Amino acid sequence: MCFGKNHYFCISIILKLESVKIKEVLNALEKFAPLPLQESYDNAGLQVGLTETEVSGALLCLDVTEQVVDEAIEKGCNLIVSHHPLIFRALKRVSDANMVQRCLMKAILNHVAIISMHTNIDNAVGGVNFKIAEKMGLENISLLAPKMVEGAEGGSGVTGELPVPMEADDFIKMVKDTFQVKCVQANQLLKRKVKKVAVCGGAGAFLLDDAVRAGADAFVTGEMHYHEFFDHEQQVQICVIGHYQSEQFTSELFKSIIEEECKGVRCCITELNTNPIVYL
């Protein structure tokens, strides 16, 4: 313990010892959701920035927009952790030609690093789909389509069970209330009760057949095409709630990982709704 004229000097040393570098946050996130778990088309991981820099604060979000970068700067956060990668397709230049390039320029000029955890955290045990299932109150949660990649266990989607079986219309109402959506795209109402539920955040239509094979009574996802609704009447209750809406709790997951593994890092969940789709 320090007193007198050395008091503030000692405090500064303590704070210095407790400081966390961006690379430590990156390592914590990749430990939870190893990069080998990402899909082949993806670009998760560090997007821009210097990892040896100390973290002044982390802004957590689903999408990186110019307004999100502005928010990070205003809140004194030199790190943004997003779900969807800012750099998804190859760039041939960085100018002011589009939103991605403008975001990159603004982040670089203001020394803001960007990390994205996308399909790797979708596929991680305890990841995005587990969080969605948790929000729905599902029990006995397990991977729907498990896989092992380079020693990392993961997989696409999850299944779980409702504590008490529900009529299909009551189940859909619960989903609407949980995700705060005004409408759900659904097929014909199931005439049996819903007990086992399959879940995949984002564009999860590719798992519909897996959900049926797993004996799920309902399948909840963010996006599906028109023709994919056909031929499943009374087989499974389809509930499509919107891509953004299905993944909206991902920032909470980032917050819990960072606060657990990187003590002292100030985490701020964005106050912005970055959903580009407007319902009129």
Side-chain angles (χ1 to χ4, degrees):
M1 187 175 293
C2 303
F3 299 96
K5 64 180 181 180
N6 292 323
H7 180 70
Y8 293 106
F9 175 73
C10 291
I11 289 177
S12 67
I13 290 176
I14 292 169
L15 291 174
K16 187 74 173 178
L17 289 172
E18 293 180 348
S19 65
V20 176
K21 293 183 177 181
I22 288 171
K23 69 178 181 181
E24 295 176 71
V25 176
L26 178 63
N27 290 340
L29 291 166
E30 291 185 1
K31 176 184 175 183
F32 183 91
L35 290 183
L37 287 177
Q38 71 179 311
E39 301 297 333
S40 59
Y41 59 79
D42 204 4
N43 187 40
L46 181 69
Q47 303 280 291
V48 62
L50 302 176
T51 61
E52 289 292 337
T53 305
E54 294 176 1
V55 183
S56 63
L59 182 68
L60 317 175
C61 61
L62 206 60
D63 310 285
V64 181
T65 65
E66 292 173 83
Q67 292 74 26
V68 167
V69 179
D70 286 336
E71 183 184 14
I73 296 166
E74 290 167 6
K75 292 182 175 178
C77 297
N78 66 348
L79 173 62
I80 294 173
V81 180
S82 72
H83 183 41
H84 297 135
L86 176 62
I87 304 173
F88 194 72
R89 296 177 178 86
L91 295 173
K92 293 186 177 180
R93 65 185 62 86
V94 178
S95 65
D96 61 351
N98 56 43
M99 186 196 76
V100 171
Q101 294 181 39
R102 290 192 296 271
C103 285
L104 283 170
M105 289 187 66
K106 183 172 287 189
I108 292 169
L109 288 171
N110 289 277
H111 307 287
V112 176
I114 300 173
I115 295 170
S116 299
M117 295 284 110
H118 192 209
T119 52
N120 55 321
I121 203 165
D122 284 333
N123 292 335
V125 174
V128 174
N129 294 312
F130 284 79
K131 172 61 74 172
I132 295 170
E134 173 193 316
K135 290 289 184 178
M136 293 172 62
L138 301 184
E139 301 173 341
N140 304 319
I141 304 168
S142 61
L143 291 165
L144 173 58
K147 63 181 178 181
M148 182 75 73
V149 182
E150 296 182 25
E153 181 186 3
S156 302
V158 300
T159 60
E161 296 179 343
L162 292 165
V164 179
M166 303 176 70
E167 299 291 347
D169 55 348
D170 291 330
F171 174 76
I172 291 174
K173 183 179 184 303
M174 180 273 287
V175 170
K176 290 170 67 175
D177 291 343
T178 299
F179 297 94
Q180 293 295 292
V181 295
K182 294 182 179 179
C183 65
V184 168
Q185 290 183 309
N187 59 345
Q188 183 185 85
L189 282 177
L190 205 64
K191 293 178 182 178
R192 66 178 188 272
K193 288 188 177 183
V194 174
K195 173 65 174 178
K196 187 172 184 178
V197 181
V199 173
C200 183
F206 68 99
L207 286 173
L208 180 59
D209 290 338
D210 293 90
V212 172
R213 283 192 291 269
D217 302 303
F219 178 59
V220 180
T221 189
E223 289 184 43
M224 277 182 56
H225 292 298
Y226 174 82
H227 293 284
E228 292 166 330
F229 282 81
F230 282 102
D231 202 29
H232 294 290
E233 296 81 7
Q234 298 310 310
Q235 188 180 53
V236 64
Q237 184 69 67
I238 297 171
C239 299
V240 179
I241 61 176
H243 195 123
Y244 178 93
Q245 291 87 342
S246 70
E247 296 178 333
Q248 63 184 287
F249 303 117
T250 304
S251 293
E252 294 181 15
L253 180 58
F254 290 150
K255 189 172 187 289
S256 63
I257 296 167
I258 296 170
E259 289 183 343
E260 175 66 26
E261 297 295 327
C262 303
K263 307 292 186 184
V265 171
R266 178 171 60 93
C267 291
C268 307
I269 293 177
T270 182
E271 298 177 38
L272 300 173
N273 182 332
T274 56
N275 189 358
I277 300 173
V278 179
Y279 298 86
L280 301 175

